[in-house]
């Protein structure tokens, strides 16, 4: 038997952690209930989804023009714009800015694109510390972990584990499991860091081309701190995050937090259009935006896969996924887990690396139904399964790499038999006669199930006995 | 122009891009709320996230504010003397804790701001009833940090500028033609997080208390 893949091993391990599984179940149930409560009127929800979909689809249809407009407006406003085709290039841009300011460390607001870049790790290798300030990110960074959810990074950790971790890392502070006290501890530690930080880094939720404005959605205030207190602010984002008009923002802001955590709005919505102007008394003197491609422009070239780029990173598909809740975020072994990760990661890193993820779906359709911008995630999963085994090229990276000769021949034979009735009837009749020869052990399938039994009469025979004339 | 930029644009431009039908993109008002209803909704939303909301008027807000400062045991209050509200406060200086003006660049007094300021008071350019949000456009007189670093943030909202939705506020105030400021903010409660075991905790990095006075 073939060696199980890394993904299978991780899934196996995750399924064994009963306590963590129960914790995820409870958390996802709460998130689903919260979201449902935010949309009491289904018609209004559907109207808002239509609106959000149109806004994102329109922006993508004009992407090069809008990126140019964004760049020119940001530049006019005094924000430096940088372009990166790969994560290596993006990391280098950040490093150069750090070096220019002789900065030995930075404080970070939450940014999934920086996770995509592996920025912390990269900077560390250059002797630069990147300190996470989002409470969840701060916690997992203390423990040397990566996020298990895109909006609730430490969702896999219990209160007790966090209390233990704080006690280990900050032995001077008395042990407590009180969430308010733990939160205050983090606040005090990070306040001092914000006070001293030479550079702050953040992500971007939406970038408005029309005005040259970077929008950030957050609850804690660490996003505002990271973008207001240090003298230099670096924002990193994917090239797909741009929208055309300022008036596109309210509908997106309305549907994002409601879909994500089931809040009507987050505590802070932060719109940044320039560095500190003459006469202003605070804010960074220098603001940079790094626009990262990293495979997005390839996704862009396929009219069906393009819908992947509509994503506003709310995480609703993750919260509603029956696979995610059972295997958790870390099993995916990717930056983005859950359904969105399932379609995004194989397209970015290639089907060879992450193609197996598209099998991690029951195609129940929940992800597509809750998506605020109506990304047809199940269809894209199907499409990527096809891309993996197709013979004739294809537009996804590593298309055809999942094709197995035996599987291909089997399906070909099946399709030939199914379109030749005499062969099909002969085959099914023979199958009923040798039904007792089906082995009990069918490898992985029978490790937790009994082997399937072939019926003693074919469907044709049974229908005939019932007097149904199939002609 | 960087090589990366050129390559990205080449790839994006190489793709046929059919125009998207934008029907349904524009804002459609769905609520018909009068001022009283807007105030009620705003108050409910704010209180749901543990913000204090006080209904006051032009005659009594100063006394209310003075009482709140006393009740909270504040020793100082960061407030600009150059705004309508600030002027009134500075005229009654005896009623208030030590008043502090944000009159220098932050670099000149960062330590004091971070570790000694108890509370701040700012004006707002409007509010949003649907989500319970304050709209702030920080200025030279009322800079960005005022609503971020002090543990208590008082905000005064003139209910004439309380809009039903964010889209309406943006339209009515004509943000597009005014030109966006360095920083525009929506603030909907005190700072909070549920990152530890989904338990909601207030006062993470921003203010621990948000006190809204409606005029």
């Amino acid at each position: 038997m073939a060696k199980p893949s890394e993904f299978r091993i991780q899934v196996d391990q995750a399924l064994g952690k009963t306590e963590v599984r129960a914790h995820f179940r409870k958390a996802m149930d709460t998130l689903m209930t919260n979201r449902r409560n935010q949309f009491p009127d289904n018609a209004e929800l559907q109207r808002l989804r239509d609106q959000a979909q149109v806004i994102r689809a329109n922006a993508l249809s004009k992407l090069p023009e809008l990126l140019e407009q964004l760049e020119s407006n940001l530049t006019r406003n005094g924000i430096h714009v940088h372009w990166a085709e790969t994560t290596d290039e993006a990391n280098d841009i950040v490093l150069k800015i750090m070096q220019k300011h002789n900065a030995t460390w930075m404080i970070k607001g939450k940014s999934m694109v920086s996770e995509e870049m592996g920025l912390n790790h990269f900077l560390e290798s250059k002797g630069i510390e990147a300190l996470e300030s989002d409470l969840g990110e701060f916690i997992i960074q203390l423990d040397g972990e990566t996020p298990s959810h895109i909006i609730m990074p430490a969702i896999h950790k219990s209160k007790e584990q966090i209390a233990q971790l704080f006690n280990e890392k900050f032995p001077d502070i008395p042990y407590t499991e009180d969430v308010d006290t733990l939160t205050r501890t983090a606040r005090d530690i990070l306040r001092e860091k914000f006070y001293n930080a030479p550079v702050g880094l953040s992500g971007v939720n939406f970038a408005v081309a029309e005005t040259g404005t970077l929008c950030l959605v957050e609850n804690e205030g660490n996003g505002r701190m990271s973008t207001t207190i240090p003298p230099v602010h670096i924002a990193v984002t994917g090239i797909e995050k741009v929208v055309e008009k300022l008036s596109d923002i309210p509908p997106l802001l309305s549907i994002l937090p409601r879909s994500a955590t089931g809040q009507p709005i987050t505590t802070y919505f932060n719109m940044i259009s320039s560095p500190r102007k003459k006469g202003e008394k605070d804010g960074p003197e220098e603001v940079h935006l790094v626009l990262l491609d990293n495979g997005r422009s390839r996704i862009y070239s396929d009219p069906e896969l393009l819908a992947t780029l509509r994503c506003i990173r709310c995480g609703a598909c993750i919260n509603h996924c029956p696979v995610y809740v059972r295997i958790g975020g870390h099993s995916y072994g990717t930056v983005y887990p859950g359904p969105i990760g399932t379609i995004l990661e194989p397209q970015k890193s290639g089907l060879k690396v992450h193609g197996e993820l598209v099998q991690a779906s029951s195609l129940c359709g929940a992800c597509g139904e809750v998506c605020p911008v109506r990304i047809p995630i199940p269809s894209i999963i199907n499409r990527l399964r096809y891309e993996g085994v197709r013979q004739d090229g294809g537009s996804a990276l590593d298309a055809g790499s999942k094709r197995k000769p035996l599987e291909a021949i089997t399906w070909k034979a099946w399709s030939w038999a199914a379109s030749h009735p005499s062969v099909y009837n002969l085959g099914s009749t023979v199958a009923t006669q040798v039904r007792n020869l089906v082995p009990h052990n069918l490898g992985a399938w029978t490790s937790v199930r009994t082997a399937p039994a072939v019926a003693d009469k074919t469907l044709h025979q049974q229908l005939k006995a019932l007097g149904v004339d199939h002609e | 122009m960087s090589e990366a930029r050129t390559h990205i644009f080449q790839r994006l431009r190489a793709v046929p891009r059919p125009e998207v039908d934008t029907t349904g993109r524009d804002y459609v008002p769905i609520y018909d709320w009068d001022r009283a209803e807007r105030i009620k909704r705003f108050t409910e939303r704010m209180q749901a996230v543990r913000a204090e909301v006080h209904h006051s008027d032009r005659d009594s807000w100063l006394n209310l504010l003075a009482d709140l400062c006393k009740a909270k045991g504040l020793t100082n209050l960061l407030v600009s003397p150059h705004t309508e509200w600030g002027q009134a406060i500075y005229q009654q200086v005896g009623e208030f804790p030590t008043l502090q003006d944000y009159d220098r660049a932050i670099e000149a007094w960062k330590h004091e701001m971070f570790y000694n300021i108890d509370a701040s008071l700012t004006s707002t350019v409007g509010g949003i009833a649907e989500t319970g949000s304050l709209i702030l456009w920080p200025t030279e007189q009322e800079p960005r940090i005022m609503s971020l670093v002090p543990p208590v943030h008082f905000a005064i909202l003139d209910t004439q500028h309380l809009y039903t939705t964010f889209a309406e506020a943006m339209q009515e105030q004509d943000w597009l033609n005014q030109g966006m400021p360095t920083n525009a903010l929506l603030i909907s409660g005190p700072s909070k997080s549920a990152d530890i075991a989904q338990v909601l905790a207030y006062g993470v990095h921003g203010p621990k208390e948000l006190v809204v006075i409606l005029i």
Side-chain angles (χ1 to χ4, degrees):
Chain A
M1 228 166 72
K3 200 167 136 265
S5 66
E6 192 69 17
F7 177 57
R8 300 261 165 185
I9 294 168
Q10 280 159 188
V11 167
D12 250 9
Q13 285 169 353
L15 290 172
K17 294 176 187 162
T18 324
E19 212 178 303
V20 183
R21 298 283 65 83
H23 184 62
F24 265 91
R25 177 79 269 168
K26 195 170 150 260
M28 295 306 120
D29 285 347
T30 308
L31 287 164
M32 287 193 284
T33 310
N34 290 353
R35 174 187 172 276
R36 213 164 31 242
N37 292 341
Q38 281 302 319
F39 298 110
D41 178 356
N42 187 51
E44 166 59 10
L45 168 62
Q46 301 314 329
R47 193 198 56 75
L48 198 53
R49 288 178 75 206
D50 289 341
Q51 196 179 8
Q53 176 186 352
V54 165
I55 288 169
R56 291 294 302 134
N58 169 68
L60 290 175
S61 78
K62 301 174 185 164
L63 190 56
E65 291 77 19
L66 295 186
L67 284 170
E68 269 182 339
Q69 192 188 3
L70 177 72
E71 181 185 40
S72 111
N73 282 329
L74 286 171
T75 310
R76 185 204 61 210
N77 296 351
I79 295 177
H80 303 272
V81 180
H82 310 262
W83 301 85
E85 281 191 272
T86 62
T87 54
D88 285 350
E89 285 178 12
N91 282 327
D92 272 335
I93 292 167
V94 174
L95 178 66
K96 287 216 173 72
I97 300 169
M98 297 292 291
Q99 286 168 339
K100 190 184 122 198
H101 292 276
N102 295 319
T104 56
W105 66 287
M106 63 158 60
I107 195 137
K108 287 179 68 194
K110 196 171 155 33
S111 152
M112 286 308 293
V113 168
S114 77
E115 298 282 347
E116 188 179 326
M117 289 157 60
L119 178 68
N120 297 7
H121 190 68
F122 168 80
L123 289 178
E124 202 181 301
S125 76
K126 304 287 173 193
I128 292 175
E129 190 199 358
L131 179 70
E132 297 286 353
S133 65
D134 171 85
L135 185 55
E137 295 275 354
F138 175 71
I139 290 166
I140 58 171
Q141 189 177 37
L142 282 179
D143 217 3
E145 290 184 314
T146 53
S148 58
H149 191 290
I150 63 169
I151 52 168
M152 284 148 294
I155 200 153
H156 57 287
K157 280 198 162 346
S158 69
K159 190 170 69 179
E160 293 75 18
Q161 286 172 321
I162 294 167
Q164 204 66 52
L165 181 66
F166 272 47
N167 192 235
E168 223 171 84
K169 302 287 174 182
F170 314 111
D172 299 345
I173 301 164
Y175 180 87
T176 176
E177 289 179 8
D178 179 62
V179 172
D180 282 324
T181 315
L182 290 168
T183 305
R184 291 290 147 88
T185 301
R187 175 186 172 102
D188 292 343
I189 294 167
L190 288 165
R191 275 250 149 167
E192 191 248 316
K193 299 288 183 185
F194 281 121
Y195 180 85
N196 289 307
V199 173
L201 186 129
S202 76
V204 174
N205 290 93
F206 317 113
V208 187
E210 185 174 45
T211 52
T213 301
L214 308 177
C215 304
L216 274 90
V217 173
E218 57 139 352
N219 278 310
E220 294 181 5
N222 68 307
R224 285 187 65 199
M225 291 290 250
S226 304
T227 59
T228 308
I229 309 291
V232 180
H233 167 211
I234 306 172
V236 292
T237 195
I239 52 170
E240 82 284 17
K241 287 281 176 71
V242 65
V243 296
E244 186 177 16
K245 292 172 186 288
L246 191 60
S247 60
D248 288 337
I249 293 299
L252 294 179
L253 180 62
S254 175
I255 205 164
L256 172 62
R258 291 205 268 171
S259 300
T261 49
Q263 295 174 266
I265 192 168
T266 53
T267 303
Y268 300 113
F269 185 59
N270 182 5
M271 306 176 85
I272 298 166
S273 300
S274 89
R276 186 191 305 195
K277 291 192 192 101
K278 202 170 175 308
E280 290 178 347
K281 300 190 182 83
D282 56 24
E285 303 276 1
E286 214 176 284
V287 179
H288 297 265
L289 174 69
V290 181
L291 286 160
L292 174 66
D293 182 343
N294 191 30
R296 288 164 172 84
S297 58
R298 185 182 37 248
I299 300 175
Y300 190 75
S301 69
D302 184 287
E304 184 183 14
L305 300 176
L306 166 71
T308 313
L309 300 177
R310 290 210 292 262
C311 179
I312 56 170
R313 304 284 191 269
C314 69
C317 60
I318 301 175
N319 302 344
H320 289 74
C321 179
V323 176
Y324 174 85
V325 72
R326 283 168 178 83
I327 67 174
H330 288 144
S331 301
Y332 291 82
T334 52
V335 173
Y336 302 92
I340 186 61
T342 294
I343 62 169
L344 190 58
E345 296 286 0
Q347 294 191 71
K348 281 202 319 215
S349 322
L351 288 156
K352 267 187 205 153
V353 192
H354 289 309
E356 195 180 3
L357 294 186
V358 296
Q359 306 300 331
S361 168
S362 64
L363 293 177
C364 74
C367 50
E369 268 177 45
V370 296
C371 178
V373 288
R374 295 189 191 278
I375 301 172
I377 299 176
S379 317
I380 295 180
I381 289 175
N382 258 335
R383 167 69 192 281
L384 291 173
R385 286 180 180 180
Y386 170 61
E387 287 287 309
V389 297
R390 70 191 288 182
Q391 241 178 334
D392 54 342
S395 56
L397 185 58
D398 305 329
S401 63
K402 292 277 158 187
R403 190 176 178 89
K404 294 181 196 136
L406 182 62
E407 196 180 49
I409 289 171
T410 310
W411 283 113
K412 232 173 214 164
W414 166 259
S415 127
W416 179 78
S419 51
H420 293 78
S422 54
V423 179
Y424 186 89
N425 284 335
L426 180 67
S428 51
T429 308
V430 170
T432 58
Q433 281 157 11
V434 297
R435 56 195 288 263
N436 293 325
L437 298 179
V438 174
H440 290 293
N441 185 351
L442 291 172
W445 180 265
T446 45
S447 70
V448 287
R449 306 172 188 87
T450 50
V454 178
D456 58 359
K457 284 198 176 66
T458 68
L459 183 63
H460 283 239
Q461 289 163 347
Q462 291 182 49
L463 287 171
K464 206 171 254 174
L466 286 172
V468 180
D469 182 359
H470 71 280
E471 302 299 337
Chain B
M1 288 297 155
S2 78
E3 214 171 283
R5 184 187 187 282
T6 312
H7 291 162
I8 292 169
F9 275 92
Q10 269 169 1
R11 281 195 295 271
L12 296 180
R13 289 225 161 86
V15 181
R17 292 176 282 126
E19 209 168 297
V20 168
D21 174 6
T22 53
T23 316
R25 177 188 186 175
D26 295 330
Y27 172 68
V28 185
I30 52 168
Y31 308 112
D32 181 19
W33 297 342
D34 60 14
R35 185 146 154 193
E37 183 68 18
R38 289 200 296 274
I39 291 173
K40 179 175 158 268
R41 301 267 178 171
F42 175 89
T43 306
E44 282 169 3
R45 282 291 192 210
M46 273 290 186
Q47 286 172 342
V49 288
R50 238 193 257 182
E52 274 179 48
V53 183
H54 299 275
H55 296 197
S56 189
D57 53 48
R58 288 190 184 270
D59 299 327
S60 58
W61 72 273
L62 260 181
N63 287 335
L64 170 71
L65 179 67
D67 290 345
L68 288 170
C69 288
K70 275 189 203 105
K72 292 179 188 296
L74 303 175
T75 59
N76 56 48
L77 179 68
L78 179 65
V79 55
S80 167
H82 307 293
T83 64
E84 179 194 351
W85 317 109
Q87 267 170 15
I89 293 168
Y90 276 82
Q91 275 164 18
Q92 308 265 331
V93 82
E95 304 293 316
F96 290 95
T98 310
L99 299 178
Q100 168 78 51
D101 182 13
Y102 196 150
D103 53 1
R104 293 152 286 167
I106 184 61
E107 287 74 17
W109 67 302
K110 200 171 179 183
H111 190 272
E112 198 183 342
M113 168 69 91
F114 265 68
Y115 297 104
N116 296 335
I117 295 292
D118 286 353
S120 67
L121 178 135
T122 70
S123 50
T124 60
V125 298
I128 301 165
E130 186 189 28
T131 51
S133 311
L134 298 167
I135 306 169
L136 273 78
W137 281 28
T139 57
E140 288 177 26
Q141 288 74 39
E142 295 183 316
R144 295 160 75 169
I145 291 178
M146 280 183 86
S147 60
L148 180 59
V149 169
V152 180
H153 175 208
F154 292 95
I156 301 191
L157 172 61
D158 182 340
T159 53
Q160 274 178 29
H161 306 298
L162 178 55
Y163 303 94
T164 301
T165 62
F166 184 22
E168 271 173 35
M170 220 179 229
Q171 265 173 24
E172 298 282 323
Q173 297 188 340
D174 199 13
W175 285 24
L176 185 60
N177 292 314
Q178 272 201 64
M180 291 297 283
T182 301
N183 187 211
L185 293 162
L186 302 188
I187 298 179
S188 312
S191 150
K192 65 179 185 293
S193 176
D195 272 351
I196 300 179
Q198 287 197 301
V199 178
L200 198 53
Y202 286 89
V204 192
H205 296 294
K208 299 174 184 177
E209 291 179 46
L210 175 66
V211 185
V212 183
I213 298 174
L214 294 177
I215 307 277

